[in-house]
Amino acid sequence: MKKFAVIFLILSLALSMGACSGSTGEPAASSGEPAASSAEPAETASRPEAFSQDEYTLYQNIFYNGYGPQFEGKKVEKEGVFVSLVDAYNGVIRHYVWGYYDQTRCCDWQWEFVPEDGAVLPANGSLVTVLGTFEADEAALDGYWITGAQVSTKQIYTGESAEIDMRSMSCTLERVQMYNVMYRSEDFEGRDFSAYGRIASLDPLMLEDPYYNGSWQNAFSYGGDIPAIGTMCVLRGNVAGGALAADSLEVME
């Protein structure tokens, strides 16, 4: 199941995680039914965010410190940002709930989940609660996912969207999606995208990982003014030959 690009991702992520946090304390599983509510989820044009140091520690322990078998078959509940990822290597759409370690936004956690039959999924970027069973499975991108997942939407994101919506992804998930765009370009040709990252080069124009050097770089084109190298930007446009043909470029504050 693991293609070369995905293996490279896991190795680079392991290194970046080691730099983000040295916490390897005993994690606590999150479980139980979500609180019942008759209220309709709020709508927001601002991107919701989720922060949890506990989730990051648990994520690190499960995927890098061998704690995974302890949680197999257990009910888990996760609150975070929802996004779908196009996995062209395996021909599937993957769903994630994710968040950040803290407000620096450089360290993130993400849990893949399989929605229960008939589940209604919100727009990418929405804030959700996911309740399901944690399982080991070779079909999961990193070997574990949450199955039979009930998805409750807390905030519906109503802002900009794209077919390949990397702006709604964590840094880690954007890296996975960007590898797909670059190395399975035929599956993404002409599709509209959003992406965020740093200006890596002006000649040629290159965008790179928003936080980590040596992670990924991809060529882009844009007809307007280009900010200085190192500036964090959001690009929107269409995929062309595995590169990013941008119609707009916005500097992130």
Side-chain angles (χ1 to χ4, degrees):
M1 181 193 72
K2 302 294 184 181
K3 302 295 190 298
F4 173 80
V6 177
I7 294 173
F8 179 76
L9 161 70
I10 298 302
L11 294 175
S12 61
L13 177 57
L15 293 174
S16 67
M17 281 185 160
C20 287
S21 172
S23 174
T24 55
E26 185 72 22
S30 174
S31 61
E33 297 293 332
S37 174
S38 59
E40 290 294 321
E43 295 185 353
T44 177
S46 300
R47 293 182 178 277
E49 295 182 309
F51 301 96
S52 175
Q53 295 184 11
D54 289 341
E55 284 294 341
Y56 179 80
T57 299
L58 180 60
Y59 178 79
Q60 180 174 306
N61 280 333
I62 283 176
F63 289 104
Y64 301 102
N65 296 321
Y67 284 59
Q70 299 180 26
F71 296 93
E72 291 179 26
K74 290 187 177 181
K75 286 286 186 181
V76 295
E77 181 179 333
K78 308 294 181 185
E79 180 177 313
V81 177
F82 167 75
V83 75
S84 295
L85 183 152
V86 181
D87 178 1
Y89 285 95
N90 295 291
V92 297
I93 305 296
R94 299 187 183 275
H95 306 293
Y96 288 88
V97 55
W98 69 271
Y100 298 110
Y101 175 78
D102 60 18
Q103 279 75 11
T104 63
R105 296 176 177 82
C106 64
C107 299
D108 49 54
W109 45 265
Q110 40 274 310
W111 305 101
E112 185 178 357
F113 69 90
V114 181
E116 66 178 353
D117 291 342
V120 177
L121 300 177
N124 285 332
S126 298
L127 187 67
V128 300
T129 298
V130 172
L131 176 66
T133 304
F134 191 74
E135 300 284 1
D137 196 321
E138 291 186 357
L141 187 60
D142 292 319
Y144 290 103
W145 56 15
I146 299 168
T147 61
Q150 302 171 33
V151 181
S152 301
T153 303
K154 302 189 69 175
Q155 283 186 300
I156 300 173
Y157 176 61
T158 59
E160 294 180 296
S161 63
E163 288 181 89
I164 311 302
D165 190 4
M166 290 177 277
R167 181 66 184 90
S168 293
M169 296 179 183
S170 67
C171 173
T172 298
L173 294 176
E174 184 183 32
R175 182 162 54 213
V176 177
Q177 189 66 87
M178 194 65 77
Y179 281 146
N180 274 264
V181 169
M182 290 189 292
Y183 300 120
R184 292 298 298 263
S185 59
E186 66 278 7
D187 294 295
F188 297 92
E189 186 68 21
R191 300 176 74 170
D192 62 278
F193 78 89
S194 63
Y196 67 110
R198 295 171 294 161
I199 301 297
S201 170
L202 300 179
D203 186 17
L205 290 176
M206 298 290 289
L207 189 73
E208 69 177 341
D209 189 293
Y211 301 110
Y212 300 111
N213 296 328
S215 169
W216 61 264
Q217 290 189 355
N218 197 3
F220 75 94
S221 59
Y222 180 59
D225 294 334
I226 308 296
I229 291 173
T231 304
M232 187 86 82
C233 300
V234 179
L235 303 184
R236 299 177 181 89
N238 296 92
V239 178
L244 309 175
D247 298 324
S248 69
L249 185 156
E250 175 188 349
V251 174
M252 293 178 65
E253 297 181 358

